[in-house]
Every structure is written in structure tokens, then in C-alpha cells.
Amino acid sequence: MESEISNNTEIESKKRIYHFGEKIRSVREKKHLTLKTVALQAGVSESLVSQIERNRVSPAIDTLLSLANVLDINLEYLFEEYNRRRPVSIIRSGERRTINEEDIMFEEVSAPAEKDGQNTLESYMITIPPKSRTHRGSYGHLGKEVGLILEGSGILHYENERYELDCGDSVTFSAGAPHTLENTGDVPLKAVWTVTPAQKFLG
């Protein structure tokens, strides 16, 4: 008996609750229709329509079809977000992919999405030993970069300019111009860097 209850609980927890009452109410109000008018045309009670709009009840399929017909709503509009995936990606601290550029280490913080696009990004942690500098931005590339200095200090070389960066400083710039990050301190410089669109530096 306890096993059956446990299984039922697990099944219930896996059920996806999807609400579309807000969409129905929004369309109704834009069409300047009252609850009573929609209910009469759909052949249901005004109270039921109100509860559906407030996501208090889930309508039977025939009721939903009637409401969609009355309001001239495309069913794809109502369910367009139902199958949309909202993945959460976690990279554990001991499982980051790394790559070395001479004596500089890049650790993956966020991997680029599988599909290419202008909105993709990648993020990594950079560790630069004293008196060393990055090289991968020497010729510039498309997109933008955002960096946050976590430890140490350094200089961002951007075109013909030099920008001093200390612990806690952040910097944002267009990646089209040549740029490198140099560690001018006596301890390793650590920073989190984000690039968009992703250059897939780590593969």
C-alpha cells in the first residue's frame, strides 16, 4: 500500500501543470467581450469561464474548443509554450572543460547552445599568471565581451588604449577591435569572461 502511494505521488509530481487562462482573458478583453457574452456563445456558465481565466479549473477539451471558437483563438497560440524547453544547464566545479593557451587556463562556465545564432554566448573563467597575457583576441572578432575581475589586477589592451582593471572591476566592449588581457600584478589574475555570439573557443 505504501509503495502504491509513493508511486502515485511520484506520478503526480511529474505532471506538468499548464495554464492558459491569462491568454483567454487577454483576448476576451481586447475584443471587449464580457464574461456573460462569451459564456452564452460557448454554451457554458459565466462562472466556469471566470474560473478558467483565473486558472482555477482546467476545461474539458470540448469546452476549450468552444471558447477558442467564440474568441477566434488559434489553438497553437494557446499551447505555443507547452512544449517549449527551458533547460537549466549546470557545470559542476570539478567537471569544467579546460583549455590552455600557453600558460593561461580557460575553464568553461557556460557552454554555447547547440544551435548557432547571434544570441548565443559562452562564458569561462580565465587564470593568467603574473606577467602573462591572452592572445586569442589579438585580431578581434564579431560580437561583444563582458569581463569581471575576481582576483588580482591587470590591463585590458584595446586597440591603442590601455585600461587598468582591479579586483571587482568589470568591463564591456565590442570585440571587433584587437584586445588582450595582461596580468600586471604579482599574483594570478582570475576573471570571468562572457562572449556573445559564442566563438566556441572550447569546442
Side-chain angles (χ1 to χ4, degrees):
M1 184 65 176
E2 289 183 0
S3 177
E4 182 178 347
I5 293 175
S6 177
N7 290 336
N8 289 338
T9 301
E10 183 176 353
I11 292 174
E12 288 296 324
S13 67
K14 292 182 179 179
K15 285 185 178 180
R16 297 179 62 187
I17 300 175
Y18 183 72
H19 298 304
F20 41 73
E22 295 86 353
K23 289 187 175 182
I24 292 177
R25 182 175 65 249
S26 176
V27 172
R28 177 181 64 78
E29 292 177 346
K30 287 180 179 178
K31 291 179 178 291
H32 304 290
L33 296 173
T34 64
L35 285 170
K36 184 176 182 179
T37 299
V38 171
L40 286 173
Q41 293 185 26
V44 296
S45 69
E46 182 178 343
S47 173
L48 178 59
V49 176
S50 176
Q51 291 183 70
I52 292 172
E53 288 190 352
R54 290 180 293 162
N55 296 312
R56 296 290 181 83
V57 299
S58 296
I61 186 63
D62 57 340
T63 300
L64 179 60
L65 291 174
S66 295
L67 291 173
N69 183 58
V70 170
L71 296 170
D72 192 24
I73 298 178
N74 189 318
L75 290 179
E76 290 184 1
Y77 166 70
L78 287 180
F79 291 98
E80 64 182 351
E81 296 181 359
Y82 183 74
N83 290 318
R84 183 180 297 171
R85 298 183 63 192
R86 294 181 173 84
V88 174
S89 176
I90 298 176
I91 300 177
R92 302 298 178 186
S93 60
E95 300 174 356
R96 294 193 184 110
R97 293 191 301 166
T98 63
I99 190 171
N100 286 80
E101 182 185 72
E102 296 181 356
D103 56 350
I104 299 171
M105 178 182 287
F106 293 81
E107 299 179 67
E108 188 173 60
V109 173
S110 174
E114 293 182 1
K115 293 184 178 180
D116 293 329
Q118 292 301 308
N119 293 324
T120 62
L121 60 82
E122 63 183 345
S123 185
Y124 38 81
M125 185 180 297
I126 309 174
T127 301
I128 307 174
K131 312 309 177 186
S132 187
R133 69 163 68 186
T134 61
H135 301 286
R136 63 181 302 260
S138 299
Y139 300 100
H141 55 82
L142 293 175
K144 292 185 176 181
E145 298 194 12
V146 179
L148 172 64
I149 307 301
L150 301 178
E151 297 179 16
S153 60
I155 292 178
L156 174 70
H157 297 268
Y158 186 80
E159 290 187 315
N160 297 320
E161 301 293 331
R162 292 159 50 96
Y163 299 90
E164 294 186 1
L165 298 172
D166 294 319
C167 181
D169 291 347
S170 60
V171 60
T172 304
F173 57 90
S174 170
H179 53 278
T180 60
L181 182 62
E182 178 185 6
N183 182 353
T184 56
D186 298 322
V187 297
L189 185 157
K190 291 188 177 182
V192 171
W193 225 257
T194 300
V195 181
T196 181
Q199 302 298 302
K200 298 190 175 180
F201 179 56
L202 297 179

